[in-house]
Amino acid sequence: MLKVYDLRIVIFFFIMLNSLYAAPIQDIQFHNISRISEQIAQETIDFKKGDEIDIKKIDDAIKEFYKQGYFNDIWVEDQNGTIHFYFKEKPTIGNLKVNGYKTREDDLELLYTSMNLKKGSMYSKKRVDQAKKALLRELEREGYINSVVEIETEDINENSIAVTFNVNKGEEIIIKRATYHGANKLSVDDIEEITANKEEDAVSWWFGQNTGELMLEQLEYDSFRIKDKYYQNGYLDADVQKPFMKIDFASNQAELDFFISEGEQYFIGETKIFLDASILDPKTLYPKLSLNRDIVSQGKCMLPTFNFLNKETPFDISKLRKDVDMIKEELGNLGYAFAEVKYDIQKDKEKRIANIMYSVIPGEKVYINDVIISGNNKTLDRAVRRNVYLAPGDLYNGTDFKESKSKLQRTGFFTKAELKKEKVSDSLINIIVNVEESPTGSLTLGGGYGSYDGWSINASVGDKNIFGSGLSLDFSTTHSEKTDKFALTLSNPALYDSIYNGSVEIHNNRYEVDSTYYDQYRKIRGFTLSSGRAISRNARIGLSYTYDDVFTQYDNIDTTYVNINDYIDQDYVISSLTPYISFNNTDDYYIPRSGVITGASVQFAGHSFGGDAEYNKYSTYLKSFCGLEEMTGADLILRYKANLRILEDTGNIPQGESFYLGGPRSVRGYESYAFGPDSASDPAYTRYFANTVELSLPLIPSARMRWSLFYDYGMIGIDRFKEIRKIGRGAVIEWYSPVGPLQFIFSRAMNPDADDETTNFEFNLGGSF
């Protein structure tokens, strides 16, 4: 039973509460908020100035603010009708460190991304604990078992906190033995080519070799990878059990066992495509199928090779996937972005053939609603968007979708570019472009040795994506015993995001040409202005103006055999206009496996442009790449290049403009500049042709090393092409290293004359096919 004074208190409380409810709100104020704007805060609460004070609405408002996740504490005070909201925000991470694991800045940035944590992120215990779990998963993925991560926090100030992850890496487990029980039809090399966990090689420290490091996170997927490898070779009944691993923690070594049932090999049988012919005639698709027993192969750059011998071809599940993608792309070119291609593999175990039935459901035609760019922290949206061939309002096109990815990758701005389709409605989609930016700024210092140039040093500094705009600025210099080059280049591939491009280059070069009876030194100082425009997806036309001040000097003249009066120093100006056309549809910037690079130009030099030299120089070039993997099952690339040049005398061709033959850029096996004018009185060589056939093979794929067999043939002459004809052959080791492409050339001259300058080895830095 309540006492009298208790009852008075209760009555007084209810009177005060009732008065609080009845009082109108004079004002609403928010204190100590920076994570949200005052406008957002006003929109969060369900009352306004002039409303009666409602305890329940205030309580609901506090709950809504807490849901936003920005605040540690919230309290409310009523001061004479003014409602004051006070906030204590969660601190931000002012400093973030990981000790004991990863030291390179680039590696740490990737690690922070995987941890979903970065400097400036809002701190919460839950978020940091989740980051710790992600860090432990990363350690485990790299084979560090039983790692320990401790978290230290330290207040920097009232609103900022330092977070440190102290890592005590567990011992790295090394796979000393990997056994594939039951694997008879495929070799260990075939299997280890696709698995993440591999047996340690004898020289594991050498780049490209297997280190044997356990990748525990990938272990469960290796069984599926091996099974898929069997499917790619026609073993459709193959089965691979989950691996068994035995770890000796005393030595931190592991043994890995896979148990494989291979089954019989199946070959390609009949293929049928069920598709509404009014939309797309299935007959047009059969010749494009990879899984077609009437066609041995259908490479990226060659016509189909028909199987006249009716040789059985093993079934390949990867080719089936390519065929599915091909059918989807063909329908996509007609606007059917979400075509479904279902397949049924019917195995005939007696004949050991696999028949494939495709059922195609085109769906509806769709249009582009929007193109959404993501992942570009530096590169401007417009610099990404101009490389995407699809725009809002366009009818969807499968080829445009596919080639947009290739175009983005050819820019060199991104390590990865992915395009996805997001359905908005039955007739509308968004194109989601997600890119991972690569470092575009570069500072390179390198050196090398060439049989002609001797020791060389080269350095460059630049950025091919200045301020994320797509502009490129580069300064480069090269010094060797025979050459000095300086160049400063600024280029814009899309002026004002248009189809036009422009560039300016300032250069200062020196060349030394050794001849039998003299040394020739050429100094060239000048600049080039160039502008062009796209005329198709892969073709451009343009015009460039070049001004060069050329000084030619002769030294070490052997007067025993030549007349010194024939060697007069020359100083002349080349002022020229050069219209050009170029085409490039290759699939990769560094190692193309399909496509063509070609172009042609005419340089008009003469008095009318303010120069001393008067001539026309006609040039055309071609590079063709053909991947042979589908034909051979190996990563082989057939490459061909040709270069044709003609000098036309319109008044004055300085000898320094003569063509020369020999060296890494024309016919290998002969010294650079081996064939050309022998004396200053000799006329310039005005006819030049060189071409090369190469077969490129993988050497150490993980280190981006390849090797090639080559055959070079070149011609040069004063009036005719065939005055001098030379052949070279040999092998090249190519390494696309961090400092640039490296070539080690082992060559042999095939038809040298007795006095020809030949070479058997050359080293080339910066050169590529």
Side-chain angles (χ1 to χ4, degrees):
M1 188 172 181
L2 289 173
K3 295 181 180 180
V4 175
Y5 58 83
D6 290 334
L7 182 60
R8 289 175 182 174
I9 293 172
V10 172
I11 293 171
F12 177 76
F13 174 77
F14 276 105
I15 291 172
M16 291 299 296
L17 188 63
N18 185 61
S19 65
L20 182 63
Y21 269 80
I25 299 173
Q26 302 298 320
D27 195 9
I28 303 171
Q29 295 185 9
F30 303 94
H31 304 275
N32 305 323
I33 55 170
S34 60
R35 299 294 175 82
I36 60 174
S37 66
E38 188 163 324
Q39 181 181 351
I40 297 296
Q42 290 282 3
E43 293 173 356
T44 302
I45 63 178
D46 190 24
F47 51 89
K48 62 184 183 297
K49 182 179 177 180
D51 292 348
E52 291 183 351
I53 295 176
D54 189 327
I55 293 296
K56 184 177 184 305
K57 287 186 177 182
I58 293 175
D59 186 53
D60 290 342
I62 293 173
K63 291 177 182 178
E64 288 298 319
F65 282 122
Y66 269 119
K67 285 180 182 179
Q68 294 175 357
Y70 297 127
F71 310 109
N72 275 335
D73 195 9
I74 304 170
W75 65 96
V76 180
E77 293 181 2
D78 172 25
Q79 298 177 8
N80 300 321
T82 300
I83 304 300
H84 295 266
F85 281 84
Y86 294 92
F87 299 88
K88 184 177 181 181
E89 294 182 328
K90 292 180 179 179
T92 58
I93 298 176
N95 195 15
L96 179 61
K97 286 183 180 180
V98 175
N99 293 331
Y101 180 59
K102 306 277 190 189
T103 55
R104 291 180 64 249
E105 193 66 32
D106 291 345
D107 292 339
L108 284 171
E109 286 299 322
L110 291 173
L111 180 62
Y112 294 150
T113 301
S114 68
M115 294 167 64
N116 193 27
L117 207 63
K118 63 181 179 181
K119 188 177 178 179
S121 297
M122 186 180 63
Y123 173 84
S124 71
K125 187 177 184 304
K126 180 179 178 182
R127 187 171 191 175
V128 171
D129 286 342
Q130 290 174 340
K132 175 182 175 179
K133 291 178 181 178
L135 178 54
L136 286 168
R137 285 196 301 270
E138 186 71 16
L139 287 159
E140 190 174 90
R141 188 188 67 80
E142 294 192 4
Y144 296 104
I145 308 298
N146 298 327
S147 300
V148 176
V149 176
E150 295 179 347
I151 302 171
E152 288 184 5
T153 59
E154 181 182 355
D155 292 335
I156 298 175
N157 52 46
E158 186 179 350
N159 300 313
S160 185
I161 192 170
V163 180
T164 302
F165 293 87
N166 294 311
V167 178
N168 183 5
K169 291 190 297 188
E171 294 295 335
E172 195 171 39
I173 305 299
I174 303 298
I175 302 172
K176 285 296 184 179
R177 179 186 61 77
T179 306
Y180 306 93
H181 303 278
N184 300 311
K185 308 294 177 60
L186 295 183
S187 69
V188 171
D189 289 340
D190 290 333
I191 295 173
E192 286 194 337
E193 181 184 13
I194 47 92
T195 55
N197 291 279
K198 316 172 194 291
E199 181 178 305
E200 182 186 27
D201 285 336
V203 284
S204 59
W205 49 268
W206 183 252
F207 54 84
Q209 297 300 294
N210 298 333
T211 61
E213 296 174 2
L214 173 64
M215 302 179 70
L216 193 60
E217 188 183 60
Q218 295 294 319
L219 190 58
E220 63 176 307
Y221 301 109
D222 280 339
S223 297
F224 298 106
R225 294 185 179 107
I226 297 171
K227 187 175 182 178
D228 192 71
K229 186 68 175 180
Y230 273 95
Y231 280 17
Q232 291 176 35
N233 287 272
Y235 297 95
L236 299 180
D237 295 326
D239 183 55
V240 182
Q241 298 179 19
K242 290 184 178 180
F244 176 79
M245 185 174 62
K246 180 182 177 182
I247 300 178
D248 181 1
F249 288 100
S251 62
N252 297 313
Q253 295 179 357
E255 295 181 354
L256 189 58
D257 292 279
F258 289 92
F259 297 92
I260 302 168
S261 174
E262 294 180 320
E264 296 294 330
Q265 188 178 37
Y266 289 82
F267 299 88
I268 299 174
E270 293 183 348
T271 303
K272 290 184 179 180
I273 301 174
F274 298 96
L275 170 63
D276 186 348
S278 65
I279 295 175
L280 180 63
D281 191 348
K283 293 179 182 179
T284 63
L285 299 175
Y286 286 107
K288 301 177 181 180
L289 291 172
S290 300
L291 284 179
N292 190 329
R293 66 180 178 183
D294 297 324
I295 299 174
V296 172
S297 172
Q298 188 156 283
K300 295 180 180 179
C301 49
M302 300 184 71
L303 294 174
T305 304
F306 291 94
N307 190 357
F308 295 109
L309 301 178
N310 199 28
K311 181 182 177 182
E312 289 185 315
T313 306
F315 182 91
D316 186 343
I317 195 71
S318 65
K319 290 184 178 180
L320 183 143
R321 297 180 187 124
K322 290 179 182 178
D323 288 342
V324 169
D325 290 340
M326 180 273 295
I327 296 172
K328 286 182 178 180
E329 184 176 335
E330 292 294 320
L331 285 164
N333 292 340
L334 301 175
Y336 298 95
F338 295 103
E340 292 184 48
V341 181
K342 300 179 180 180
Y343 60 85
D344 180 26
I345 303 173
Q346 300 175 350
K347 296 183 289 186
D348 187 329
K349 294 189 176 183
E350 291 185 3
K351 296 180 180 179
R352 288 198 294 142
I353 61 173
N355 302 313
I356 308 104
M357 307 297 168
Y358 295 100
S359 298
V360 184
I361 305 172
E364 300 292 330
K365 283 188 176 183
V366 298
Y367 292 81
I368 308 302
N369 177 64
D370 197 5
V371 177
I372 301 171
I373 313 297
S374 64
N376 53 322
N377 298 318
K378 172 184 175 183
T379 308
L380 301 177
D381 272 12
R382 57 184 177 83
V384 179
R385 196 178 300 271
R386 69 191 181 207
N387 293 295
V388 179
Y389 296 124
L390 294 167
D394 290 350
L395 179 67
Y396 175 81
N397 185 283
T399 299
D400 288 347
F401 184 82
K402 181 179 178 181
E403 292 188 358
S404 294
K405 178 178 179 179
S406 298
K407 181 75 179 296
L408 286 166
Q409 289 178 325
R410 284 202 300 267
T411 63
F413 301 162
F414 313 109
T415 55
K416 184 190 294 184
E418 293 182 344
L419 277 73
K420 295 181 180 180
K421 294 170 285 187
E422 180 183 70
K423 194 170 185 178
V424 177
S425 67
D426 290 341
S427 61
L428 289 175
I429 62 169
N430 289 331
I431 301 297
I432 310 298
V433 182
N434 186 26
V435 296
E436 288 185 12
E437 293 179 315
S438 61
T440 54
S442 63
L443 175 61
T444 303
L445 178 64
Y449 181 82
S451 57
Y452 180 80
D453 286 326
W455 289 102
S456 65
I457 297 174
N458 62 81
S460 67
V461 59
D463 193 332
K464 55 188 174 185
N465 189 16
I466 303 172
F467 308 123
S469 63
L471 273 72
S472 173
L473 179 65
D474 182 75
F475 172 76
S476 62
T477 178
T478 300
H479 172 75
S480 71
E481 296 176 16
K482 306 291 185 183
T483 305
D484 281 310
K485 294 182 180 180
F486 299 90
L488 178 65
T489 306
L490 175 66
S491 61
N492 188 340
L495 295 168
Y496 301 105
D497 298 318
S498 69
I499 59 175
Y500 295 91
N501 66 285
S503 67
V504 57
E505 178 195 86
I506 302 172
H507 49 262
N508 188 350
N509 303 330
R510 175 193 68 87
Y511 302 93
E512 179 181 341
V513 179
D514 291 344
S515 186
T516 306
Y517 306 117
Y518 66 91
D519 293 335
Q520 181 192 89
Y521 301 90
R522 298 184 68 216
K523 297 179 181 178
I524 303 174
R525 294 177 297 177
F527 64 89
T528 298
L529 300 174
S530 182
S531 182
R533 60 156 293 171
I535 57 174
S536 72
R537 180 160 297 178
N538 301 304
R540 285 188 173 274
I541 59 172
L543 180 69
S544 64
Y545 171 75
T546 300
Y547 180 93
D548 282 334
D549 189 353
V550 183
F551 177 71
T552 305
Q553 178 183 353
Y554 297 92
D555 200 0
N556 298 326
I557 301 170
D558 190 345
T559 56
T560 306
Y561 300 97
V562 299
N563 185 354
I564 194 171
N565 295 323
D566 293 335
Y567 299 86
I568 301 173
D569 294 345
Q570 298 180 5
D571 190 358
Y572 57 91
V573 170
I574 300 176
S575 181
S576 64
L577 279 177
T578 306
Y580 65 86
I581 183 170
S582 63
F583 178 87
N584 183 348
N585 69 341
T586 53
D587 63 342
D588 190 77
Y589 184 80
Y590 294 103
I591 308 177
R593 288 174 171 81
S594 70
V596 170
I597 302 173
T598 187
S601 64
V602 183
Q603 181 185 9
F604 299 101
H607 292 320
S608 56
F609 304 117
D612 302 318
E614 292 186 292
Y615 61 82
N616 296 332
K617 183 185 291 185
Y618 305 89
S619 301
T620 184
Y621 61 90
L622 168 70
K623 292 183 180 181
S624 180
F625 304 88
C626 181
L628 305 179
E629 185 169 4
E630 291 189 3
M631 295 182 65
T632 64
D635 182 20
L636 307 182
I637 307 173
L638 184 64
R639 309 190 290 205
Y640 174 77
K641 68 177 177 182
N643 201 320
L644 174 68
R645 302 174 192 166
I646 297 174
L647 262 177
E648 179 186 11
D649 190 350
T650 60
N652 175 29
I653 302 179
Q655 192 200 60
E657 301 308 309
S658 173
F659 297 136
Y660 291 85
L661 187 71
R665 294 173 181 82
S666 56
V667 180
R668 289 161 286 191
Y670 301 88
E671 294 277 8
S672 297
Y673 306 102
F675 307 101
D678 287 327
S679 69
S681 58
D682 287 350
Y685 281 65
T686 63
R687 301 293 186 269
Y688 172 93
F689 174 74
N691 69 154
T692 294
V693 177
E694 281 193 8
L695 180 64
S696 174
L697 306 93
L699 183 59
I700 305 177
S702 59
R704 302 182 72 189
M705 291 186 70
R706 301 182 67 88
W707 69 285
S708 304
L709 299 172
F710 68 83
Y711 180 91
D712 295 343
Y713 175 79
M715 301 184 294
I716 194 172
I718 298 173
D719 299 310
R720 297 179 297 108
F721 282 101
K722 295 184 178 181
E723 293 178 21
I724 299 175
R725 291 181 286 179
K726 294 298 173 183
I727 302 172
R729 63 179 174 87
V732 181
I733 296 176
E734 302 171 309
W735 180 24
Y736 294 88
S737 73
V739 298
L742 294 174
Q743 289 186 327
F744 303 89
I745 304 170
F746 305 88
S747 57
R748 181 179 178 182
M750 295 298 296
N751 61 336
D753 294 327
D755 58 345
D756 284 352
E757 298 171 331
T758 62
T759 180
N760 293 321
F761 175 76
E762 290 176 289
F763 175 92
N764 193 18
L765 175 61
S768 59
F769 183 82

